[in-house]
Structures are given as structure tokens and as C-alpha cells.
């Protein structure tokens, strides 16, 4: 089939999904207009999400390690945090990356418009620019990559600078003495860890029985144990019923079976209870695009909406709301527009929680297997038996494989431990390449590294690990 690259396309939203799609489209030879309210591409991920949070988490890890170093005979003294300088460094990281994307955009001759787009019709966008002026432009294809925003709980809506969402928390205006984090998911635990390392007394409230509800419990346990030491409190099965501003802070009332203290005052409150898709695009009703009751735009495997000229990718089309998912969807959508026979159907989309230890998983989880009644084998290698983990004084980690007991195929990989977020990539590759346990077992991994734990877990599956001892059954 001939490729259809002589298209003029618009990409609405310049986050990782949107800019990756726009750049690929330009590389394929399409005429591309990229529209975003910020001065450069980057979206939530670069401006107020993944990137600034990881810059701060790096500092948090350094502070925590310097504390741990006492046990190794090295003392640095108490950290002196210059908040303005730290904020400046974080902002310089953001500026460097978003500026770089601005340059890449120019080099590719992508027409970048700083503004917001709405629909006049399926093919026509009305763009309100940063200076307030409006322009209507017609396109052959439109790609929606409008992302998501923090979910708001009506009872916790309070117009106060003490109430933060992830954006406010990343602004790092100050280091509050106390912080209440509502929601023990990705954002709550990552940003809670940052503030705790900087000296804030953090309390996390999670309405479900465990932190990171989507992850396997054995992976969360080592993180939970470490956070128990870092945080003032972790309240599970608990919700925040109300918040009220007082002269010295926010008074929060708690509800839940095990709640001992019914109310408490905090300097600041971070609400991190999930995200909502940005599908309320002006004029969307003038198109045939369909939005489901949860607010996600409906798409097929080519990321095409019910309106054939309109595609959508990323957070606005559904879970998991992760940048790397959006980027790959973006590629698929652009290739589909170009007439290539493609579909977005990955076997594994890795999830990484960048706490310390990091928690990462990909493919089938043990929890999911149980839910659908699928028979699996699980092989776990404890990092207490890893030379590298011991040299790092981080033996609490674990690598586990979820396997098909008959074919020995790797269906899922889970990890917890320092650097698990980097190591999970091997697991993703194993799943995508339909690797068998034997492939991982026979692959020579460098010693001494944490990556060996993937090979070691395969050895555990076969009962051939020499690093752990399992008495033979009589
Ligand atoms: P989340 O879904 O990860 O966690 C929200 C948590 O809040 C859940 O555990 C939920 O049970 C709890 N909750 C919901 N309502 C509550 C209530 N009323 N009281 C107490 N707890 C409540 O959402 P998030 O942390 O806001 O992050 C949003 C999304 O952003 C994530 O799902 C993820 O897709 C993305 N994200 C990813 C990363 C990463 O990849 N490392 C980091 C940050 C955010």
C-alpha cells in the first residue's frame, strides 16, 4: 500500500505523546502543526511531572544515602537545604529539556503554536493563541494528545495556598514542617518521599488496605517498611472526610476503622488521588469523537476515534496514564495516518514507582493472574542473596518472574529495590520477545550487578540457583 505522507496534520498537546508523534510525522515528511499552551513542547511530564519530580527524588536519595552512610563509617553532618537553589536547579533541568524540544521542533520545521485548540468542525481547529488572538486552520488529520489533570475530591476542595496538587508540591515554595498526603499511589509516595527527605514530617492517608493498590503486595512490602521509618504515619483504610483552614494550618478529619486520632492540623496538604482525562475539548461535539462515561476518548488499535480524521493518544484515551505508553501510541497513530499496517498491542507496559526502593513491574502481575484464575508459576530471587545489593547495603529488594508453568514463557516481571526502574527494561524485553525461563537462565549477566537477579530468578524457577539454598524434598 502506498504511504500517505503528504498530509497536513495538527497535534493538539505537546507532552511526550504529542511531541513524539509530531516529530515522527515531520520526519516521515508530513506538514505538522503542534499546538500547546506552553512556550515549548514538554507537557505535564517535563514541566510539572516526571522530570521535575525525578530531579527532586535524586536529591532525596542523596540525602537518605548520606544518612545511611553513618553506618558505613562516613559522616556528612545534617544536610543544609537551600530551597531557592534546589528549586532553581530543578527549574534548570526542566528548561534545558523543554528548550531542547523547542529546538528539535524548529529543526524539523514543525509549526509550533503556543495556544489552545478547539474544534470548529472535524477538520478545522480554532486556535486561541497566548496573546489572545484567534486563528482557524484546516487539517487533513488531527491528533489529540491533551493528557490529564489531577482529580479533585469535592469535599477536599479548599481555596488555600496550603492545599497542593502535584503541580503545587513540585513548585517547592517552602519545606513545610508537616504535610498530609491524601492518596498512597505514585504521586503521593514519590512526592511524600521528597518532602520527607527534605525534613517534612509526612503523613500518608490511603483509602484502600495497602499502598500502591495496583501492585503485587510482596513488591510493595519492602517499600512500605522503609516508608514507615521515613514518614510520620501511614494510615490505610482511611479517608480524609473534611479539610478546614485555620490560622496555623489545615485541620483534616479522618474516617476509617483503625483511626486513632480523628483530626489533626497540617502545614500543607497534598491531594494525589488519581488523574482525570482532559477530554473537555471545546467543540468536540461538532465531531464524531466519542467519549466514554469515565471521560476517556474512545479509540481503536490504530488510535483512531469514531471520526476517521481524528486520532487520540496518551492519558486522554485511557489507563495506564504513563508517558512511555503515550509515546508509543503516538508513533502508532502517525504510522496509521500514513497508511501503514500497524496496531498498538503491547504485551507489556512497564510501571515504575520512583521511590526508594523503586517498585517496577511489567506484563502479567500475580494479582491479575489470581483475579482471572490463570495458572502461573512464580520464581522469586531475594536481593539478600545478591552480592551487588549487599555492597550497596540494600538487601531488601526482590526480583520475581511470573511464568506459564507449561511453556515456561515469561509472562510478567516484578521488582522492588534500588534501581529497579532501570532493571525492569530487561523484563519488558523478555516478555515482548516471548522469552522462556531458559533464555534468561542461559544469558550470561555481568557480575556483580543487580541485573544478575533476573537470571538468578530464572535459576530459582529451575531449582538450579547456587546463591539460594533449597533443601531437596525427601
Ligand atoms: P494513583 O492512582 O497512582 O494513586 C491514587 C491513590 O489514591 C490510590 O491508591 C487510591 O486508592 C487513593 N485514593 C483515592 N481516593 C482517595 C481518598 N478519597 N482518600 C484516600 N486515598 C484515596 O494516582 P496518583 O498518585 O494521583 O497519580 C496519577 C497517575 O499519574 C498515576 O496513576 C500514573 O498513571 C501517573 N504517574 C506516574 C508516575 C510514574 O510513572 N512514576 C508518577 C506519578 C504519576
Amino acid at each position: 500500500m502506498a504511504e500517505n505522507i503528504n498530509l497536513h496534520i495538527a497535534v493538539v498537546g505537546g507532552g511526550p505523546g504529542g511531541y513524539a508523534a509530531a516529530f515522527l510525522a515531520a520526519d516521515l515528511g508530513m506538514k505538522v502543526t503542534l499546538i500547546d499552551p506552553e512556550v515549548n513542547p514538554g507537557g505535564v511530564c517535563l514541566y510539572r511531572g516526571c522530570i521535575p519530580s525525578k530531579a527532586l527524588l535524586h536529591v532525596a536519595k542523596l540525602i537518605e544515602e548520606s544518612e545511611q552512610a553513618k553506618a558505613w563509617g562516613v559522616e556528612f553532618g545534617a544536610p543544609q537545604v537551600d530551597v531557592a537553589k534546589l528549586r532553581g536547579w530543578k527549574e534548570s533541568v526542566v528548561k534545558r529539556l523543554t528548550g531542547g524540544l523547542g529546538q528539535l521542533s524548529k529543526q524539523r520545521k514543525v509549526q509550533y503554536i503556543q495556544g489552545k485548540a478547539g474544534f470548529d468542525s472535524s477538520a478545522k481547529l480554532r486556535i486561541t493563541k497566548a496573546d489572545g488572538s484567534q486563528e482557524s486552520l484546516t487539517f487533513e488529520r488531527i491528533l489529540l494528545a491533551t493528557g490529564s489533570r489531577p482529580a479533585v475530591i469535592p469535599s477536599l476542595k479548599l481555596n488555600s495556598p496550603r492545599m497542593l496538587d502535584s503541580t503545587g508540591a513540585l513548585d517547592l515554595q517552602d519545606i513545610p514542617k508537616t504535610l498530609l498526603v491524601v492518596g498512597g499511589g505514585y504521586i503521593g509516595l514519590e512526592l511524600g518521599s521528597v518532602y520527607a527527605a527534605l525534613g517534612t514530617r509526612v503523613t500518608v492517608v490511603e483509602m484502600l488496605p495497602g499502598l500502591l493498590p495496583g501492585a503485587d503486595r510482596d513488591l510493595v512490602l519492602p517499600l512500605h517498611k522503609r516508608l514507615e521509618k521515613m514518614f510520620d504515619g501511614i494510615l490505610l483504610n482511611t479517608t480524609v472526610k473534611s479539610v478546614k483552614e485555620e490560622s496555623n494550618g489545615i485541620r483534616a478529619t479522618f474516617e476509617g476503622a483503625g483511626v486513632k486520632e480523628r483530626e489533626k492540623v497540617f502545614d500543607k496538604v497534598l491531594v494525589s488521588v488519581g488523574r482525570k482525562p482532559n477530554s473537555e475539548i471545546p467543540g468536540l461535539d461538532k465531531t464524531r469523537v466519542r467519549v466514554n462515561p469515565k471521560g476517556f476518548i474512545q479509540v481503536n488499535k490504530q488510535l483512531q476515534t469514531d471520526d476517521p480524521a481524528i486520532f487520540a493518544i496518551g492519558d486522554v484515551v485511557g489507563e495506564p496514564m504513563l508517558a512511555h505508553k503515550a509515546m508509543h501510541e503516538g508513533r502508532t497513530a502517525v504510522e496509521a495516518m500514513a497508511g501503514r499496517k500497524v496496531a498498538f498491542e503491547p504485551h507489556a507496559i512497564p510501571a515504575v514507582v520512583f521511590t526508594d526502593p523503586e517498585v517496577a513491574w511489567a506484563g502479567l502481575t500475580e494479582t491479575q493472574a489470581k483475579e482471572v484464575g490463570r495458572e502461573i508459576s512464580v520464581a522469586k530471587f531475594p536481593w539478600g542473596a545478591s552480592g551487588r545489593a549487599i555492597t550497596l547495603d540494600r538487601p531488601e529488594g526482590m526480583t520475581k518472574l511470573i511464568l506459564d508453568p507449561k511453556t515456561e514463557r515469561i509472562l510478567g516481571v516484578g521488582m522492588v529495590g534500588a534501581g529497579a526502574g532501570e532493571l525492569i527494561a530487561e523484563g519488558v524485553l523478555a516478555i515482548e520477545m516471548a522469552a522462556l525461563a531458559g533464555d534468561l537462565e542461559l544469558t550470561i549477566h555481568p557480575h556483580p550487578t543487580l541485573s544478575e537477579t533476573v537470571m538468578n530468578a530464572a535459576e530459582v524457577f529451575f531449582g538450579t540457583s547456587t546463591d539460594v539454598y533449597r533443601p531437596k524434598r525427601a
Side-chain angles (χ1 to χ4, degrees), residues 54 153 182-188 190 205-208 212-213 238-240 272-275 319-322 352-354:
K54 262 78 261 178
I153 301 178
V182 187
Y186 283 75
I187 294 177
E190 288 185 1
V205 168
E206 166 58 51
M207 73 176 179
L208 293 176
L212 296 174
T238 305
T239 52
V240 178
S272 48
V273 293
R275 298 183 65 86
E319 304 269 1
M321 295 193 189
L322 299 171
V352 179
V353 189
F354 291 89

Side-chain angles (χ1 to χ4, degrees), residues 93-161:
V93 171
V94 171
K95 215 166 169 191
R96 182 169 172 174
L97 283 166
T98 52
L101 288 178
Q103 263 178 345
L104 286 174
S105 180
K106 281 195 192 93
Q107 284 164 340
R108 289 185 157 86
K109 312 244 177 318
V110 167
Q111 180 193 19
Y112 186 79
I113 303 182
Q114 190 182 357
K116 284 187 167 185
F119 285 92
D120 274 345
S121 72
S122 286
K124 200 167 179 191
L125 290 178
R126 180 185 296 268
I127 301 160
T128 308
K129 297 189 186 171
D131 62 9
S133 65
Q134 285 200 335
E135 187 177 6
S136 278
L137 293 173
T138 303
F139 301 94
E140 282 150 296
R141 301 281 186 278
I142 294 170
L143 176 63
L144 299 174
T146 48
S148 63
R149 61 183 182 280
V152 180
I153 301 178
S155 59
L156 303 187
K157 231 173 154 182
L158 190 65
N159 198 2
S160 158

